[in-house]
Amino acid sequence: MELDTPWLAMAFFLIALIYASVGQAGASGYIAIMALLGFAPLTMKTTALALNLLVAAIGTAMFLKAGRLSWRSVWPFAILGFPFSLLGGAVQLPTDIYYPVVGVILILSAVQMARTALRRAGLSVDLPTDPPFIPALSTGAIIGFISGMTGTGGGVFLAPPVILAMNWGTARQTAATTAVYNLMNSAAALLGAYAFWDHIPGELPGWLLAVAVGGSLGAFIGSRYLPERWLRIILAAILFASGMRLWFG
């Protein structure tokens, strides 16, 4: 398996650009590409978390600079999200369990991405409200543990099915909240997975450069402009295909 081909770095670049434009960091997308190439589970998990951490940091900085962050919307999810991501990062599922579990997560991510792409704008006329403390606390913990255990980041499950569905923020506020959540959870999960760092490929620095450029462009677009619907649809198709590959082997 060739890990240093230019097109693989380009794929990571495009994923970071698309995800960052909607406040995501791209973990499920990186895993999708690595799944198609047959990467080992520990390599997929640690690599995705490392790439996710960098893009989430860039996205957080961009949204903060653009004045899109509302800390009241972030901290209820983060209180338990961080420690549970740390715990999840230390857990490594057996290969015969990891592939099906991540496959299901990728398929669910594809469904959520497609729903947000196909949903009509302006359906809700109610003003967004701040997330209630207890539901946000428990949601952050559950998503944090699952994302840390699988290396999927978690933001894709926080934004469409929770924050937007419950009307706890506008589209751009949700993107900003998700960026911070991804940053904290990825850092915690990667720290928790320190025992597996030797599975990170030596090509990681080049991939980090690719996602840094892609994430910067995507976050710049997302913090100021509406995301493109077709980009989400294409991404949903990639996630779905990769999830099916992992599920059925």
Side-chain angles (χ1 to χ4, degrees), residues 109-120:
S109 299
V111 172
Q112 294 296 342
M113 191 68 68
R115 286 181 57 190
T116 60
L118 299 175
R119 184 180 55 193
R120 294 180 180 179

Side-chain angles (χ1 to χ4, degrees), residues 180-224:
V180 180
Y181 185 81
N182 273 323
L183 173 61
M184 299 184 66
N185 281 18
S186 297
L190 190 59
L191 181 61
Y194 73 94
F196 312 128
W197 285 1
D198 57 336
H199 291 268
I200 298 177
E203 292 78 9
L204 181 64
W207 298 343
L208 287 171
L209 178 61
V211 299
V213 176
S216 297
L217 291 175
F220 176 81
I221 294 171
S223 63
R224 292 166 173 81

Side-chain angles (χ1 to χ4, degrees), residues 11-87:
F12 286 149
F13 164 82
L14 292 174
I15 289 170
L17 189 152
I18 297 170
Y19 270 86
S21 69
V22 293
Q24 303 291 334
S28 56
Y30 310 136
I31 287 177
I33 293 297
M34 289 186 284
L36 291 175
L37 294 177
F39 277 51
L42 281 173
T43 301
M44 291 168 59
K45 175 177 177 176
T46 52
T47 301
L49 286 173
L51 298 176
N52 210 60
L53 176 61
L54 178 58
V55 177
I58 293 171
T60 298
M62 288 284 190
F63 282 107
L64 182 62
K65 183 177 180 180
R68 302 292 183 186
L69 278 179
S70 170
W71 294 109
R72 171 60 183 85
S73 299
V74 173
W75 69 268
F77 295 106
I79 290 178
L80 292 183
F82 186 91
F84 273 80
S85 292
L86 184 67
L87 292 174

Side-chain angles (χ1 to χ4, degrees), residues 116-194:
T116 60
L118 299 175
R119 184 180 55 193
R120 294 180 180 179
L123 289 181
S124 175
V125 296
D126 296 330
L127 292 175
T129 59
D130 289 330
F133 181 73
I134 297 301
L137 198 68
S138 57
T139 298
I142 294 171
I143 295 178
F145 183 77
I146 295 175
S147 63
M149 182 173 58
T150 58
T152 50
V156 72
F157 295 112
L158 183 64
V162 179
I163 299 180
L164 290 177
M166 300 303 295
N167 198 33
W168 289 343
T170 65
R172 289 183 181 173
Q173 287 174 342
T174 300
T177 298
T178 307
V180 180
Y181 185 81
N182 273 323
L183 173 61
M184 299 184 66
N185 281 18
S186 297
L190 190 59
L191 181 61
Y194 73 94

